[in-house]
Amino acid sequence: MSVNSFRLFCHRLVHWEYWPFQVIYLPIYGLWLYYAIRSGSLFFFNAVNPSIKNGGFVMESKKKVYDLIPREYYPRTLLIEKKMSGHELDGLLLREQITYPLIVKPDVGLRGTAVKKIHSREELLHYNDLVDFHYLIQDFIDLPLEIGVFYIRYPNAIGGQITGIVSKEMVSVTGDGRSSIETLLTAIPRFHLQLKTLKKEHRQMSEIIPARGEKVMLMPYGSHSRGAKFTDVSHIINSGLTTVMDTVCTRIEGFYYGRLDIMYRSLPQLEGGEEFMIVELNGAKSEPTHIYDPRHSLLFAWKELARHITYMYKISRMNHKLQGVSYLDYRSGFRQLADHHRQLKKLAVI
């Protein structure tokens, strides 16, 4: 094992945020089973957001979720069916007047996998030829800041509450006038762990030497699994921000539980309901991602995960009893999970 490999191994070992998902969630599975027994369904989460397939846990179409959101709150989004010809793609972009750069993402995805910023027609055609799934094309959002806001609302309540906010620091380096981008990345363990993936998208990293003070953005979206640093900023929750989230979320039919990933210009503008866009809306599979702040302990993470699963159980039960929303039966639930794993394999090749 090389020195660098040993250093990264130690970094992963002492920072629980890099541990396998199954290990982190191990104590939470017991709570999930408890609520499954109480509700009489292993897939009780299906009822938490009645308007979203499977409550937003697996196999939901992002395009159908965007269609639930009031149009002014999210970027222009086109659904591209797999194996669409380059000629059809060119015509679609021309009609919709979408220009580069743009964002592409799987219509059914997970944790930022296969999400890319596309700079040219050649890059788009390469992506289009490579994928074996429907995907989305979105306008690139030129706003400087991104947060994830976890929002819950009980079905019989007029308003909801924000239960946590995470700030996202994208993968970027600042030049010193001597070192290449690759060298700058390897100096930071968080970014070094993403080096293999980054090399696929930035092939000249070992040759480009940024000027002193020059900031180079390498991953323009805030995915923890793609190297972004998450910081818990739940202290900024206030009545103004809650009112904005209520205004948006109460207009999304059948949405009661999940995380909104939002890009914005400044906090005062966001609190005033101005200059922001919803990048993603995630339902039952949403994590309270403020737990991944490196300052937080694993015990804190377990408490927050337990708190949010409890919210999900209570909302699901209320939707089931008050609105007659059915739970997913076992056979259908396991079939959906199987479809989910097949989709993950398709995403993994990108």
Side-chain angles (χ1 to χ4, degrees):
M1 181 182 290
S2 68
V3 173
N4 276 336
S5 297
F6 181 72
R7 181 170 68 102
L8 293 179
F9 170 79
C10 291
H11 185 78
R12 285 195 188 98
L13 188 63
V14 301
H15 292 82
W16 68 265
E17 62 176 300
Y18 296 107
W19 293 2
F21 176 89
Q22 296 83 352
V23 174
I24 295 173
Y25 273 74
L26 191 59
I28 305 302
Y29 294 145
L31 181 62
W32 187 287
L33 182 59
Y34 169 71
Y35 286 140
I37 293 171
R38 289 194 62 181
S39 62
S41 172
L42 186 62
F43 303 102
F44 63 85
F45 55 78
N46 180 71
V48 74
N49 296 311
S51 60
I52 303 176
K53 182 177 181 177
N54 300 321
F57 191 76
V58 290
M59 296 306 295
E60 75 278 14
S61 161
K62 292 182 185 295
K63 181 62 168 62
K64 290 182 178 179
V65 172
Y66 283 121
D67 287 344
L68 296 172
I69 304 171
R71 182 62 194 85
E72 63 268 29
Y73 295 130
Y74 68 93
R76 187 169 35 167
T77 301
L78 305 178
L79 176 63
I80 310 299
E81 295 186 359
K82 64 179 180 180
K83 305 308 177 185
M84 178 181 283
S85 71
H87 178 72
E88 291 175 303
L89 201 51
D90 288 339
L92 183 60
L93 294 186
L94 184 62
R95 286 195 303 274
E96 297 294 332
Q97 297 183 325
I98 290 183
T99 58
Y100 300 98
L102 51 81
I103 295 294
V104 292
K105 61 178 68 172
D107 185 43
V108 177
L110 182 68
R111 290 189 165 192
T113 305
V115 177
K116 294 183 180 295
K117 183 180 180 182
I118 300 294
H119 301 85
S120 66
R121 179 177 182 270
E122 291 71 26
E123 288 184 15
L124 180 59
L125 292 180
H126 176 71
Y127 186 90
N128 186 66
D129 290 340
L130 192 61
V131 302
D132 187 31
F133 47 78
H134 299 336
Y135 67 94
L136 305 180
I137 288 178
Q138 286 187 322
D139 282 326
F140 177 71
I141 304 172
D142 190 20
L143 292 171
L145 303 171
E146 183 174 348
I147 54 173
V149 179
F150 210 108
Y151 176 89
I152 68 115
R153 179 167 61 91
Y154 291 108
N156 59 354
I158 297 174
Q161 66 183 95
I162 299 171
T163 60
I165 301 180
V166 63
S167 175
K168 303 178 180 185
E169 181 183 331
M170 315 303 183
V171 178
S172 64
V173 293
T174 301
D176 59 9
R178 303 185 309 274
S179 306
S180 68
I181 293 176
E182 182 173 341
T183 301
L184 294 169
L185 285 169
T186 56
I188 305 169
R190 177 181 299 279
F191 298 164
H192 194 175
L193 289 169
Q194 301 296 322
L195 195 59
K196 183 177 179 180
T197 301
L198 290 169
K199 280 183 175 181
K200 292 181 181 179
E201 299 190 25
H202 305 277
R203 301 181 187 281
Q204 308 299 317
M205 289 195 313
S206 62
E207 302 171 15
I208 299 174
I209 299 176
R212 178 178 294 276
E214 179 185 356
K215 187 174 183 178
V216 180
M217 181 72 68
L218 295 157
M219 197 68 70
Y221 30 84
S223 171
H224 184 265
S225 63
R226 302 289 292 275
K229 180 182 178 181
F230 283 11
T231 303
D232 186 352
V233 293
S234 298
H235 63 275
I236 70 173
I237 298 172
N238 57 33
S239 59
L241 199 53
T242 301
T243 297
V244 171
M245 292 299 102
D246 277 336
T247 299
V248 174
C249 295
T250 54
R251 292 176 63 191
I252 303 174
E253 182 181 356
F255 173 68
Y256 299 100
Y257 174 96
R259 191 187 69 248
L260 296 90
D261 295 332
I262 296 172
M263 298 195 73
Y264 65 104
R265 191 166 301 282
S266 72
L267 186 57
Q269 287 175 305
L270 178 58
E271 291 173 342
E274 301 173 346
E275 288 289 306
F276 73 92
M277 280 282 166
I278 298 172
V279 183
E280 291 269 350
L281 186 152
N282 296 288
K285 72 169 173 287
S286 301
E287 290 182 290
T289 46
H290 57 279
I291 66 174
Y292 291 112
D293 186 323
R295 298 172 298 179
H296 287 321
S297 67
L298 184 55
L299 179 60
F300 173 87
W302 285 337
K303 288 179 178 179
E304 285 296 277
L305 289 170
R307 179 167 73 104
H308 284 78
I309 287 177
T310 301
Y311 287 138
M312 183 165 62
Y313 165 74
K314 289 180 178 179
I315 294 170
S316 297
R317 287 285 282 174
M318 292 181 72
N319 280 330
H320 180 66
K321 289 184 175 182
L322 300 178
Q323 301 183 36
V325 180
S326 60
Y327 296 134
L328 200 63
D329 65 81
Y330 289 97
R331 179 175 295 180
S332 298
F334 283 112
R335 187 166 56 245
Q336 290 295 305
L337 287 175
D339 290 343
H340 170 70
H341 288 297
R342 280 192 289 269
Q343 178 70 1
L344 289 184
K345 290 181 180 178
K346 292 182 180 180
L347 300 180
V349 303
I350 307 302

